[in-house]
Amino acid sequence: MHKYLATLVFSAISLSLTASAQPILSAPVNTPTLIQTFMVNSRFAPCLQAAGNYDGAPVNTATCGTFSGPNIEWTVVQGGAPEGPGSFDGPITQIRIFGDKCLDVPNGGNWNGNKLQIWTCYDGNPNQLWRVNGDARISWANHNKCLDLTDGNLRDPVVPTQIWDCQSGNGAQAWNAIPPR
């Protein structure tokens, strides 16, 4: 079994741990888990954030700043058990922000490069169902597509996120959950 290195940052201390086949978030079913933010590639530390609190607001990465503010505070609500053979290992979940908005795939478009948004959460909406996986990828449930940093761009101050075919070891798809301070 492969082991993956994930870095979790707590306060100003960086801790490294080895994760294997366990979700990077584990909580009982239907238990909300507050995440301060998700960061891609902790070396450069851009944070996952919503551009605003409205339906259709783009989901980008941007400088984390002080790690505070409602536009970077995501809540993961653990859903049901993993799917059958060949599925990723995390339970199906919604990833919420602002209390009532969810990470959303616009119109359920299943093509590489479809830019992500937030939309009012609806239980069972397949465009809002995700898996936070033990290998640090966040995959769109039932679709072999992952939350992806467009072009792997870590240089620009604001970069849109998209879905893309899930690829093991792709740094543009490795997300670190940052616990609340």
Side-chain angles (χ1 to χ4, degrees):
M1 176 175 281
H2 292 91
K3 291 190 177 190
Y4 298 95
L5 186 63
T7 304
L8 296 176
V9 176
F10 184 73
S11 297
I13 301 170
S14 295
L15 301 173
S16 294
L17 59 102
T18 302
S20 64
Q22 295 295 320
I24 58 176
L25 300 172
S26 56
V29 172
N30 296 322
T31 301
T33 302
L34 175 66
I35 300 300
Q36 189 66 39
T37 193
F38 287 100
M39 288 188 338
V40 64
N41 188 331
S42 61
R43 182 171 164 220
F44 297 101
C47 288
L48 186 67
Q49 59 184 259
N53 184 1
Y54 57 90
D55 285 343
V59 176
N60 304 307
T61 60
T63 304
C64 295
T66 61
F67 289 101
S68 64
N71 67 324
I72 66 168
E73 294 175 355
W74 300 86
T75 301
V76 176
V77 180
Q78 301 291 25
E83 298 166 7
S87 69
F88 293 102
D89 58 356
I92 293 177
T93 184
Q94 285 182 323
I95 300 176
R96 295 181 179 209
I97 194 165
F98 303 116
D100 68 341
K101 300 288 188 273
C102 281
L103 183 62
D104 183 272
V105 178
N107 302 312
N110 192 28
W111 61 86
N112 286 337
N114 191 1
K115 303 299 186 249
L116 296 173
Q117 64 182 9
I118 59 170
W119 202 267
T120 301
C121 299
Y122 294 99
D123 287 338
N125 180 342
N127 302 344
Q128 299 174 346
L129 299 178
W130 301 89
R131 292 182 182 283
V132 180
N133 303 301
D135 63 0
R137 288 183 290 173
I138 299 173
S139 60
W140 183 23
N142 303 314
H143 290 88
N144 194 37
K145 299 286 185 191
C146 283
L147 174 63
D148 185 274
L149 181 64
T150 300
D151 299 325
N153 184 343
L154 294 168
R155 299 174 313 278
D156 294 335
V158 176
V159 178
T161 59
Q162 63 187 6
I163 56 169
W164 201 269
D165 292 335
C166 295
Q167 301 165 335
S168 182
N170 181 347
Q173 296 177 354
W175 298 88
N176 300 302
I178 309 304
R181 295 179 180 207

